[in-house]
Amino acid sequence: MDFDFALILVLATFISGLLWLIDTLMLAPGRRRKLAEVKAERGELPDEAMTAILRQPGWADTARSLFPVLAVVLVLRSFLYEPFQIPSGSMLPTLEVGDFILVNKFHYGLRLPVLNKRFVEINDPERGDVAVFRYPKQPSINYIKRVIGLPGDTVTYHDKVMYINGEEINLELIARLPPNNPEVLLLRETLGDVAHQVYQDLGRASMSGQWVVPEGHYFFVGDNRDNSNDSRYWGFVSEDLLVGKAVAVWMHWDNFFSLPDFSIIRRIQ
């Protein structure tokens, strides 16, 4: 079962705030009136007695404590930065399984929580960006890939070579990686001003295709070029499905039984 954490957070914030408001506007005045009546009858009361009369119900006190915390988390997560964990090797060597990353939620514009509709435009994705988006075939799942094609681009992939509008993307050999059999190549790829590393698996069959990116959509590909489920297989990503730009790795944690590693903090390129 897929849980929509954003929806749960919005509902929890709304409900806690509503309960706190109900107590503040409707119940608290009654407690104050009762205190005034008791004072009129008995005179001044001990502090303990006044505290008991003014005490909030347990549910109201819980709501009052939770609401500010939930509201801050909602604002941070919805409009500033959100943490994600890398679950697969599709972005190797840039991102490893177990990397924890920070995603800038405002870089591509401010979006409404849950609805994900952009209401303030700031930047559009650029070729070479590493971005998180909602998987078009199942929007409850987040994917992370690299932007290859922008609206209007013609993207061609043939014999493990990518072309943008007929121009071959520059690849420079860095190393061959034994003892992998068959061979894996570590390459430096340059997309505009962005240079990053990719894997090319010579043992995997090459696919071919050509795609024209529609307006309002983007073409995403993984850096582990022959081991990535991306736009080459399921198509384009609508602007409405963008979540944010991946900007940094802040921790690596292999599994529950290992210790988190904070020594790998780095920017994502």
Side-chain angles (χ1 to χ4, degrees):
M1 179 181 295
D2 295 316
F3 292 95
D4 191 334
F5 184 76
L7 177 59
I8 294 172
L9 181 59
V10 168
L11 290 175
T13 305
F14 174 77
I15 292 171
S16 62
L18 179 62
L19 292 176
W20 186 16
L21 190 63
I22 289 173
D23 179 70
T24 301
L25 298 181
M26 302 176 65
L27 302 182
R31 294 194 295 271
R32 290 192 292 268
R33 284 195 300 270
K34 182 178 180 180
L35 177 62
E37 292 171 358
V38 172
K39 280 185 173 182
E41 292 178 2
R42 304 179 185 178
E44 281 300 318
L45 299 173
D47 290 344
E48 296 81 0
M50 289 192 294
T51 300
I53 294 173
L54 294 175
R55 182 177 294 119
Q56 293 178 307
W59 57 266
D61 184 57
T62 300
R64 179 181 64 84
S65 301
L66 284 178
F67 175 71
V69 176
L70 292 174
V72 169
V73 172
L74 178 62
V75 170
L76 288 175
R77 187 182 184 277
S78 300
F79 304 119
L80 297 177
Y81 291 92
E82 182 177 358
F84 287 88
Q85 182 182 12
I86 302 302
S88 75
S90 70
M91 282 296 292
L92 286 169
T94 304
L95 298 171
E96 299 182 5
V97 178
D99 279 349
F100 283 73
I101 66 170
L102 278 181
V103 172
N104 185 323
K105 299 294 289 288
F106 61 85
H107 186 82
Y108 298 140
L110 299 180
R111 298 172 183 272
L112 294 173
V114 181
L115 299 178
N116 208 46
K117 295 296 183 181
R118 185 165 65 170
F119 64 92
V120 175
E121 296 186 6
I122 300 178
N123 298 301
D124 291 320
E126 297 181 356
R127 190 174 291 113
D129 285 358
V130 177
V132 171
F133 55 90
R134 299 183 179 188
Y135 179 38
K137 292 184 177 296
Q138 194 172 350
S140 61
I141 299 176
N142 291 311
Y143 269 30
I144 182 167
K145 307 289 180 186
R146 192 177 296 275
V147 179
I148 296 293
L150 304 178
D153 282 347
T154 297
V155 180
T156 305
Y157 188 68
H158 181 68
D159 288 340
K160 300 184 183 294
V161 178
M162 194 84 67
Y163 302 84
I164 305 294
N165 300 321
E167 183 175 344
E168 181 179 343
I169 293 179
N170 181 53
L171 292 173
E172 176 187 347
L173 178 64
I174 298 175
R176 301 178 184 272
L177 302 178
N180 293 289
N181 187 18
E183 199 169 43
V184 173
L185 303 183
L186 176 62
L187 306 166
R188 179 179 290 108
E189 180 176 78
T190 303
L191 294 169
D193 296 329
V194 179
H196 56 277
Q197 296 180 352
V198 301
Y199 279 154
Q200 188 179 98
D201 189 343
L202 300 182
R204 296 292 297 268
S206 177
M207 55 98 66
S208 297
Q210 186 174 86
W211 306 265
V212 178
V213 185
E215 287 301 317
H217 291 74
Y218 298 89
F219 193 90
F220 283 86
V221 176
D223 287 350
N224 194 357
R225 207 49 54 86
D226 296 296
N227 296 279
S228 174
N229 180 27
D230 50 42
S231 289
R232 294 170 295 174
Y233 300 95
W234 40 255
F236 311 106
V237 176
S238 168
E239 189 276 336
D240 290 338
L241 295 177
L242 295 175
V243 173
K245 181 179 179 180
V247 293
V249 177
W250 61 276
M251 181 182 75
H252 181 86
W253 194 9
D254 283 325
N255 55 64
F256 182 78
F257 300 101
S258 63
L259 293 176
D261 180 5
F262 295 95
S263 67
I264 46 74
I265 295 175
R266 65 185 186 275
R267 292 182 60 188
I268 297 174
Q269 295 183 337

